[in-house]
Amino acid sequence: MTDSHFAEEGIARMDTPVPVAGVLGATSRIVPRLPDHVPGGRDVAPGLQVGPGGVLLSVPNVARYLVHGGTAIEVEIAEGGDHKAVELFLRGSARAILIYQRGELPLEATTIIDPRGTCIALCGFSGAGKSTLAAVLIDRGARLLADGITRVTLSGGRPLAWPSNTSLALWADACETLHIDTSKLTPVRLDLEKFFVPVPAEHKPLPIAVIVKLRLGSSPDVLDVPKELRSDVIAENIFRKLLIDSLTQAENPARIVEHIASYCRVLTLSGAREHPAEELANCLFEALL
Amino acid sequence: MTAKLVLVASYPKSGNTWARLVFERLKRGPSWNFSINEMATGFYGVSRRLLFDSVSPVNCSDLLLHEIENMLPKVLRYVAAASSGDLFLKVHDDMRRTQDGDWLYPPDCVRSVVYLVRHPFDVAISCAHHLGMTPENMVKLMADRKIVSHFERSLPLSLPQHVGSWTSNVSSWIGDSPYNVALVRYEDLIADPLAGFASLARVAGFDVPPSEIASAVEVTRFDALRREEADYGFRERPPTSAQFFRAGKARSWEGALSPELREQILKDHGTIMKQLGYTAEGDVQPLHLSYFPPGSPARVSTPSL
């Protein structure tokens, strides 16, 4: 099976199933047309319709995605839609919705495996600098498991993070700071100065050991989150928690959050955006010793 | 229940924070232990980004500028529908439509707009301090219609906003409008804060006794805010600024803005200045507080000389 919906010339491979990254048994395919509405569906958020037939995600002038059964994503490309953008949102939000449909947890995290084999999920709001911090840690010997959204399941009660990415999405400025030449890199979509940077990757699922929540703050600092507060901190970082009741049986991701809180060390790392990623990485290393 | 949005709008450094502090105090009541650092963010800066990403099915960090703008009215409409109690938004954008044709702030969700203006001489000096720029560069920035705070090579913390020039920002909000806009001058608020905020409180939908207005005005006195910032800091102060609550008075430009720069400001913004009663000497002519229902052009009156 191919891993892209588009041939090298940028032509869409219609109806050809492509595996959904990191979700065994789930596939996506491009279709000529999706229904305008999900039968029996209702709008739950701008661009998001939920019904018995699935979830319809619409990104204007890019694509519409029908996610159903936790196993399939159908994609209708908008006329003139940027193919890179089509795949970006397929691998991001559409995949996150599929993960919810399976009763699993899409964590907004970039997850790495450090040189000692410790699985660390870096969480925080989009723009906090998760991928940039991951890049520094990978430069120091870590491997990438997932970037942006990490699929988390339970295995024997242990929270398991699944591999889904072999590159980090980094802004041009971050690439410059990290001495990465972007001239031959693929942009994540047209007209955005953000690039896919290939990095050493981990290819098997691993139990999460540490959750690191990046926070803004004037000084870089790492704090251990007390056990009774861990669930709240982790729950802040699940995909679209405001919409969770529409996207899944809320008790499923809640159960996974509880297991993460039980099994994992949870840290907050302050100083995001105000301090260089190298400094934050040093702070983190010290805390994990 | 659907909440309504109250927009506290202005070009930067024109009294926006002061107004929002008063509104916050009125909203939370006299039992609230007032603190500048506990004021609601007004869904500005990084909090607007977080709000956007909590509602939009795709992250704004993966969207282009026009896509973010097209989505924002829908996000705000969703938030209003999901909230109870009015929401106060801090706004420095000029008033405009998105590429899709919607008003950036959906009029049917907006109760009213409090639009603050300040003499551009004072704005120039205050902004220069705030942004860590020279007055010369700030005067150039104030004349630039195309100011969009959005970078292309990195992701800014704030959601992109189009401020425009001082003239384009002011004239957009006091022109023909789908909103109820109350225009207020910072200088008038300083001269008579009780009367000024009593009017603004009504516009913002508050029904409170004069004693509460007086109490809110008292706790937001400039010297009190300055003292609290000195003791505890202020989370809205950017790293470029030594002090957020710096001068808090009219004519703070004196001694700081050269005649050449004043001349430049007059050249760039003289038409609107005249309309607002702002003179070339830095003075402020008497003007009536105005409240404009939707569709009516903003009427500004100056006394005949």
Side-chain angles (χ1 to χ4, degrees), chain A residues 5 7 30 55 58-59 80 85 131 157 173 177 187 196 204 223 239 243 264 279:
Chain A
H5 287 285
I30 298 190
V55 176
S58 304
V59 185
S131 302
D173 256 14
T177 306
F196 286 123
K204 58 181 191 303
L223 291 173
F239 178 80
L243 309 175
C264 303
E279 211 176 315

Side-chain angles (χ1 to χ4, degrees), chain B residues 47-153:
Chain B
S47 72
R48 189 173 290 196
R49 175 177 290 285
L50 296 178
L51 178 75
F52 189 105
D53 281 350
S54 71
V55 172
S56 164
V58 298
N59 287 343
C60 57
S61 56
D62 289 330
L63 292 175
L64 306 178
L65 181 56
H66 72 274
E67 291 172 334
I68 295 171
E69 287 219 329
N70 286 337
M71 179 60 100
L72 188 62
K74 303 177 178 70
V75 167
L76 291 175
R77 194 183 293 284
Y78 176 92
V79 169
S83 306
S84 60
D86 286 355
L87 301 173
F88 287 78
L89 264 62
K90 172 179 172 179
V91 172
H92 286 319
D93 298 280
D94 52 10
M95 186 183 84
R96 69 189 181 288
R97 291 183 188 269
T98 67
Q99 208 179 74
D100 275 349
D102 297 321
W103 288 105
L104 192 64
Y105 300 95
D108 56 310
C109 298
V110 174
R111 178 184 298 289
S112 54
V113 179
V114 169
Y115 187 78
L116 297 118
V117 288
R118 188 178 182 188
H119 198 298
F121 290 177
D122 282 314
V123 170
I125 289 304
S126 190
C127 279
H129 279 282
H130 188 69
L131 298 173
M133 296 174 91
T134 64
E136 290 77 10
N137 284 340
M138 191 61 227
V139 168
K140 282 185 197 149
L141 200 68
M142 281 172 71
D144 191 339
R145 285 190 68 106
K146 296 186 294 300
I147 296 300
V148 177
S149 60
H150 176 70
F151 306 113
E152 284 167 5
R153 289 174 49 84

Side-chain angles (χ1 to χ4, degrees), chain A residues 93 126 176 189 240 273, chain B residues 53 56-57 61 67 153 155:
Chain A
S93 297
S126 179
E176 194 174 309
R189 62 177 298 192
R240 299 305 177 275
R273 297 288 306 226
Chain B
D53 281 350
S56 164
S61 56
E67 291 172 334
R153 289 174 49 84
L155 186 70

